[in-house]
Each structure stands twice: as structure tokens, then as C-alpha cells.
């Protein structure tokens, strides 16, 4: 499900956490568009793209990142360009546009290394691992995410739970649901200690998928509900709908709903997922 995909993003400023503050963030950035100097407009578009990305509006985000990358001067603002490339790659991975995502990440890493920004280069490597997960290359995903984990351990240990979630996603692809659940439980405990809500919701969605594959439909439903609540709180309607699909699949295994109720919910969710651009999930719902 789309809720399980969460490449790392890069921002100078914290993004608004709740739905109301997200709307305010959009309004402020759009107002600033007519006020900023032309030389800073690329950075502004990059921030707007990031807000779109974090609220699940992936294709709109790509358009804004395209504009940002076209305006940012690589010689004057190499790190701004690297950030925009990292974030555009994340949006491409989320929306299934894989053809050029890897190139963006390789270019981001090269710029970051040239400027001595090693943590940013590790983030690019981590997202390359997410790319391999998305295209189904489990060995490459585990190898690349493992290399990124070593980099994070040396430079920024607080990223460890994010890495654990993506290791779990790769393990799920390999059919190792119990092993994935163990990694996710460790990640969720670390997220709770760090009081991180955005990544925690993604971890809960993946934990729901692991529970479903392990045959524990009750736990899958509960994890999916937690994830859906977390995504809605942050205004990420796409991820919330994807979590609702996992919840619906769990309800199907529980056989607690009447066939008519199940079919009605699945049809409505399929329409919503299609409107949000999550076509594969829409097909699964239907």
C-alpha cells in the first residue's frame, strides 16, 4: 500500500504537523511567491513542493520541484539544489515515477559529497534503497539501506528507526513477515521515545501489513487504524486512504462485516484512492 512508502525528505524549516497548520503553510508559501526576490524563488518552490509531498500530493509536488530545480543556481546554491533533487526523487518514488528517480539521487549525492555534506549524501543513499524496495530488488535494497544505516550511525543516530522501517519493508518483499515485525516494533519504540509522529504513522502502516501477512487480522486492523488517524491528523489524505485499504483487507480476513457492508466500503474507498492518484491501491480496493 502507498502508506508503506516513505522516503526521507530534506527541509530547512519544520513542516506544519496538523491539518489546519498545513493549510496555513500553503497559504503563507503561496503569498510569499509574489514577494520573494527572483533569485530565491527556486527555494520557495522547493519548500512548497516539500509541503505537497508530505501531504501526499505527489504529482503536484514533482511539478513544483521541477520548477525549483530549473531556477536554483547550482554554482551559487549547490546544497539547495541537492535538497530539491532528494525531495523530487522521494516524490517520484512515492508516485511510481521510477525512470528518473535514481538519477536525481545520484546527482544529489554527488553535490552533497562535493560540498562536504555527508549526512545529505547518506540520505540520498537511503532513498536509493527505498527506490530498490519500490522496484522489487530485495538484495539491492537490503545492501543499500544497510550502507545508509552505517552512515547514519556515524553521523546522526536519531535516524535509526527510519532505517529499521525500510529494512522491514524489504523483508516484507522477501516474505519474511515475522522478521519485519521485529524490526518495526523496535522502530516504533524509538519513535515513541523521540516523539516523532510523521514517520511513526508510516511504521504503523507497515506493521499492519506485516500483521496481515502473519495471519493476525485483529492486530492488522488496529495498526492500520492508528496509522490512518496519524496520517489524517497531518493532512495526508493519500496515506490515510492507503491505510484504510489495509484496514479493509484486515476486516475481510476477520469476516466481521456483512458482504454488502464490505463491498460498499471497498467501492467507496476505491473511488477515493483513484481520485487521490493511488491507482494500484484503487484496483486492489475494487
Amino acid at each position: 500500500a502507498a502508506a508503506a512508502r516513505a522516503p526521507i525528505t530534506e527541509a530547512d524549516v519544520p513542516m506544519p504537523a496538523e491539518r489546519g497548520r498545513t493549510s496555513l503553510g500553503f497559504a503563507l508559501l503561496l503569498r510569499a511567491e509574489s514577494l520573494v526576490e527572483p533569485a530565491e524563488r527556486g527555494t520557495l518552490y522547493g519548500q512548497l513542493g516539500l509541503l505537497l509531498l508530505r501531504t501526499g500530493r505527489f504529482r503536484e509536488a514533482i511539478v513544483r520541484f521541477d520548477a525549483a530545480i530549473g531556477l536554483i543556481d547550482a554554482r551559487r546554491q549547490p546544497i539547495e539544489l541537492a535538497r530539491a533533487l532528494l525531495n523530487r526523487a522521494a516524490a517520484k518514488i512515492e508516485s511510481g515515477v521510477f525512470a528518473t528517480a535514481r538519477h536525481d539521487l545520484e546527482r544529489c549525492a554527488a553535490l552533497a559529497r562535493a560540498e562536504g555534506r555527508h549526512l545529505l549524501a547518506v540520505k540520498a543513499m537511503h532513498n536509493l534503497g527505498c527506490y530498490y524496495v519500490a522496484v522489487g530488488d530485495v538484495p539491492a535494497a537490503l545492501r543499500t539501506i544497510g550502507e545508509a544505516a552505517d552512515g547514519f550511525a556515524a553521523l546522526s543516530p536519531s535516524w535509526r528507526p527510519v532505517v529499521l522501517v525500510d529494512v522491514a519493508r524489504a523483508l516484507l518483499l522477501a516474505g519474511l513477515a515475522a522478521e519485519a515485525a521485529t524490526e518495526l516494533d523496535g522502530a516504533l519504540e524509538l519513535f515513541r521515545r523521540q516523539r516523532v509522529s510523521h514517520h511513526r504513522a508510516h511504521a504503523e502502516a507497515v506493521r499492519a501489513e506485516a500483521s496481515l501477512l502473519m495471519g493476525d487480522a485483529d492486530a492488522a486492523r488496529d495498526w492500520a487504524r492508528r496509522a490512518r488517524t496519524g496520517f489524517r491528523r497531518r493532512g495526508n489524505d493519500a496515506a490515510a486512504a492507503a491505510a484504510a485499504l489495509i484496514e479493509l483487507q484486515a476486516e475481510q480476513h476477520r469476516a466481521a462485516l456483512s458482504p454488502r457492508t464490505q463491498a460498499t466500503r471497498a467501492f467507496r474507498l476505491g473511488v477515493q484512492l483513484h481520485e487521490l492518484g493511488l491507482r494500484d491501491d484503487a484496483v486492489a480496493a475494487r
Side-chain angles (χ1 to χ4, degrees), residues 1-262:
R5 296 191 293 271
I8 285 177
T9 57
E10 178 81 1
D12 276 318
V13 295
M15 290 291 102
E18 307 297 334
R19 182 179 296 270
R21 293 176 63 200
T22 299
S23 299
L24 176 61
F26 277 124
L28 291 173
L29 286 170
L30 289 170
R31 183 182 177 189
E33 187 174 0
S34 62
L35 302 175
V36 299
E37 296 293 329
E40 301 301 324
R41 193 157 290 170
T43 300
L44 174 66
Y45 289 154
Q47 291 294 326
L48 186 55
L50 182 60
L51 193 52
L52 289 164
L53 170 59
R54 291 191 176 177
T55 51
R57 295 159 65 178
F58 309 128
R59 294 187 181 274
E60 293 176 71
I62 292 172
V63 172
R64 291 293 182 169
F65 289 133
D66 287 346
I69 290 165
L71 290 170
I72 295 172
D73 186 336
R75 289 173 295 181
R76 191 174 68 87
Q77 295 178 298
I79 296 305
E80 283 298 322
L81 179 58
R83 286 174 174 145
L85 287 164
L86 180 77
N87 293 338
R88 184 170 73 174
K92 288 177 178 178
I93 293 169
E94 292 273 20
S95 58
V97 183
F98 303 127
T100 56
R102 182 172 178 174
H103 178 265
D104 280 353
L105 293 171
E106 290 170 348
R107 189 179 173 198
C108 167
L111 285 166
R113 285 193 294 267
E115 296 296 318
R117 303 295 288 268
H118 301 298
L119 181 58
L120 182 54
V122 171
K123 290 180 180 181
M125 181 185 298
H126 178 273
N127 277 10
L128 183 59
C130 294
Y131 161 84
Y132 285 129
V133 171
V135 300
D137 190 339
V138 176
L142 289 172
R143 181 181 66 253
T144 307
I145 294 170
E147 291 174 5
D150 292 339
F152 283 130
L155 297 170
S156 183
S158 63
W159 283 100
R160 174 172 167 74
V162 178
V163 175
L164 291 177
V165 173
D166 290 314
V167 168
R169 290 166 56 218
L171 291 171
L172 282 180
L173 276 180
L176 302 172
E179 291 81 353
T182 299
E183 299 289 346
L184 290 162
D185 289 342
L188 285 161
E189 177 58 30
L190 290 172
F191 284 138
R192 278 191 285 270
R193 291 180 193 173
Q194 296 176 6
R195 298 183 180 180
V196 174
S197 61
H198 174 68
H199 288 296
R200 187 175 67 205
H202 283 286
E204 288 167 345
V206 186
R207 187 63 176 84
E209 292 188 278
S211 295
L212 200 57
L213 289 173
M214 293 165 66
D216 190 345
D218 290 341
R221 179 200 58 186
D222 294 343
W223 283 116
R225 284 180 177 174
R226 291 182 196 177
R228 177 165 54 85
T229 298
F231 288 131
R232 281 183 174 171
R233 187 178 297 123
R234 297 186 62 87
N236 192 333
D237 294 330
L245 175 59
I246 305 171
E247 182 183 350
L248 193 62
Q249 290 167 331
E251 292 288 14
Q252 183 179 19
H253 284 278
R254 293 180 70 248
L257 301 177
S258 71
R260 181 181 294 276
T261 299
Q262 182 84 7

